[in-house]
Amino acid sequence: MWTILAINSVTFGGLLFLLSAGFSLIFGLMRVPNLTHGSMFMLGGYIGGSLIASWHLPFWLAALVAAAAVAAFGGVMERFLLRRLAGSVLAQVLVTLGVAFMVSDFSLMVWGGDPLSVDAPRALAGGTRALGVFFPTYRIAVILIAVAVAAILWAMLDRTRLGAMIRAGVDDPEMARVVGIRVSRLFTIVFCLGAGLAGFGGVMGAPILSVYPGLDFAMLPLALVVVILGGAGSLPGSLVGSIVIGFIYNFGLVMVPQLAYFILFLPMVLVLVLRPQGLFGRAAP
Amino acid sequence: MTALAIRGLRKSFGGLRVTQGVDLAVAPGERRLIIGPNGAGKTTLFNLIAGDLRADSGSVALFGTEIAGLPARRRAHLGLARTYQIITLFPKDTLLRNVTLSLLGLSGLRWNPFVRLDRQHALIAQARHALGRVGLADMADRPLAETSYGERRRVEIAMALAQSPRVLLLDEPFAGLSIDERRDVAALLAEVPREITIVMIEHDMDVALEFADRISVMHFGAVVVDGTRAEVVADPRTREIYLGE
Amino acid sequence: MTARRALIGLAAVLLVALPLWVPGNYDISVGSEILIYAIFALSVDLLIGFAGLVSLGHAGLFSLAGYTLAVCLGAGFGQPAAIALALAVALAGTAVFAALSLRTTGVGFIMITLALGQIMWGLAYRWVGLTGGDNGISVSARPAPFGISLAVPSHFYEATLIVFAGAVFAYRVFVESPFGASLRGTRDQPRRMTALGYNVWMIRFSAFMVSGLLAAIAGILFVFRAEFISPPTAALTASAEPVLMAISGGSGTILGPIVGAALVELVKNVASAYISRWNMLLGGTFVVIVMFMPEGLVPGTMRLLRRRFGARPPAPVVAAGTAERKPPP
């Protein structure tokens, strides 16, 4: 019972990481909390689910196509809406919120009000029994994928030129501009990347959470909380924040189901009171 | 009693020690000029005195009252006023409203949500008077955004003087002004009564030297030379800092 | 100035007489709804327009008052006691909201208020024992002050109008008071305000409390009007609507949020008769307003009128940072 709960918590944490890593990077770099992020997660789930159900695409191919589609959507949004409002963060936030409402209604129109359930790939269905505990294969796979994505992201940020530019932009956008980094192109890349990750996370989450109207605004606050916990633009922060929230949410659901959503936000409150810049964020000078 | 007594004031950002043990004593009514090369820590010192930054250690006393631990707003109430190197005003409001806000800051009226501000005739008359002191009475109802840089500098000084401070900190009041504007501001400062002690950071020596009773030279976050104009000019360390000899 | 007075007088007469000139009870009820949302929009705009703080969690406060009222009435409290408790609980909730969200400003403030609003939504939705979850809570009786039954739509409308008029009057006094000037100062130059002797945090906190009070009043009226409350009242959409009302009508004015509330509610009512795509419309309007008319309808129209009648064009609105010329080094 507790072991399976723990596995579920880590799995949910992994999904949250896929969601919040991009949110955190976008927020860290552009200072814009992308309120469309939950919608991108949901959109990914719907697109991937439809590709699997109606087009009979293999699960992984569907996941990649969905991620690419959502990344493209993110790119369009950044280029044609956010770019025009450069300099006014408030306006940008409100636009992302407006787009989120539109996506929510659009999805309702296309996919209807019933949840779309997606089967896990057949190879990963079922589970293994070891040491008297049942390990569901798909959930373990999601954990591994999240770890792999974290490793790839970390390597990308730490080892590549693009990563160095992103880090410079997160640390000090002014300075990045001064040393000749094309910040505007960086914004587009990071926005696409974050959107794609969220879309990919949506497909990964579909067999576990299913995809339903309202998933977008259920996931969005979780991304906010993870970033408030972990600090903006911090990859380790996102990872730890995601796992913490994964545990609190799953254990909360079992132990105090009526207040699960409420206790989810308690760590955020604590962090805000004790350490406003987030667990891993740097202190402001 | 000293108007402003600073002892052992220190401040670091990360590993960078910007202020390292500043000692400074300014007598009541004195006009003190602080000079030093860029990056010497002059504006940081002002921020520490005014409370925009908190010192890591050391003491700042205003007429014997220790203020280093107080928030900036409390220091304003104790008689400390300042102007900024980069003018910081309320561009959407009129000149009169700018000065009124300054007066309101020290008045208990600022918490009152039940009366109309534009009916507070005593306060507004006081603000007009303060604008008159800097020669801007006839522009009082103009929005700040429509004024020139020199006029804004004078509005800033009017706001500081309106609070009747005991110690006034002026951060480069002549920066960015034309020759005529400098002369106007200098004349205006010369008329400030001696009840107000003035500490000024300035690069323009022509105007500033005339104004100062005593001069402190800052270098690498500390006061290196301190004395009358003649003493400081004659001091070899001053030449060293300025001419790199 | 007299033209302005005449216009306000005319508007007042039209508002008071609204039950006489609209076709039916349903329209009177829409009138009440607009007034309630106008109070809510003013509440949100007190923070946006006068403090420079955008809250995306105000539906949490609105519904906290509404739910408290519904729960208390369900538990058998009298109307006055239930209303008093609803106000008290909502103000306590506002204090928590304010204390947490004012740890930051700007974007951080938006994120925290959004998260806090979602907490309230989560509670409304999941705490089934108290809130009835998805089914919501029905309230059977409207109050009957001085023996006048507010169950009659036109009576309820007039009562709402009285509260609305009181709120607008108080709001006007508030924003033109010395405290209102202090609040606007903290919006434009918080650091300068501190140096001038103002307690910026406390000013913002106090403004937040006033805003919470207005949101609570709107929430209480809302429950009495609908005789029902359910989780969508606390949803993010419900927090976004008053923000849209404020910025579409014209943030930082009094008339703006009221006009915005009327427009949004009318569009919502008209649109819902034909299409069920309210979210699409809401989102689309948001994007269009922010992209193309950021100053809002009321100031935009005023500017056009002023130009039309040949008055001096208003001063260009200069952002705080751009008005300054950096001194040469």
Side-chain angles (χ1 to χ4, degrees), chain C residues 144-242:
Chain C
F146 313 111
I148 305 165
S149 167
L150 298 188
V152 182
S154 58
H155 292 178
F156 184 79
Y157 170 81
E158 298 296 349
T160 307
L161 185 60
I162 290 171
V163 177
F164 169 78
V168 170
F169 176 75
Y171 198 86
R172 189 177 148 79
V173 171
F174 182 87
V175 299
E176 295 189 354
S177 70
F179 184 80
S182 312
L183 184 61
R184 263 177 281 194
T186 65
R187 174 195 66 193
D188 295 336
Q189 291 283 7
R191 196 173 141 204
R192 181 69 184 187
M193 290 298 278
T194 306
L196 289 176
Y198 292 90
N199 186 340
V200 170
W201 189 89
M202 193 48 95
I203 290 172
R204 287 179 173 147
F205 183 84
S206 311
F208 206 134
M209 291 305 288
V210 174
S211 169
L213 177 65
L214 284 171
I217 291 172
I220 289 168
L221 288 171
F222 173 87
V223 169
F224 278 133
R225 193 198 78 92
E227 299 178 307
F228 177 67
I229 186 163
S230 63
T233 316
L236 181 55
T237 335
S239 285
E241 275 175 21

Side-chain angles (χ1 to χ4, degrees), chain B residues 47 52 72-73 76-77 82 84-92 97 101-102 104-106 109-117 143 145-146 149 152 156 159 163 175-176, chain C residues 172-174 176-179 181-182 184-185 187-189 191-200 202-203 206 312 315-320 323-329:
Chain B
N47 285 336
D52 286 356
R73 65 187 151 81
H77 286 271
R82 75 172 294 186
Y84 291 87
Q85 183 182 358
I86 296 169
I87 295 178
T88 316
L89 295 169
F90 304 90
K92 284 179 234 164
R97 173 54 75 88
L101 270 177
S102 170
L104 198 58
L106 299 187
L109 201 60
R110 70 186 183 282
W111 292 111
N112 191 330
F114 303 114
V115 297
R116 291 182 63 120
L117 178 59
E146 290 177 16
Y149 190 76
R152 282 181 212 171
E156 225 194 1
M159 285 170 72
Q163 295 202 323
Chain C
R172 189 177 148 79
V173 171
F174 182 87
E176 295 189 354
S177 70
F179 184 80
S182 312
R184 263 177 281 194
R187 174 195 66 193
D188 295 336
Q189 291 283 7
R191 196 173 141 204
R192 181 69 184 187
M193 290 298 278
T194 306
L196 289 176
Y198 292 90
N199 186 340
V200 170
M202 193 48 95
I203 290 172
S206 311
R312 194 171 65 97
V317 180
V318 182
E324 288 122 15
R325 190 170 74 192
K326 231 182 168 131

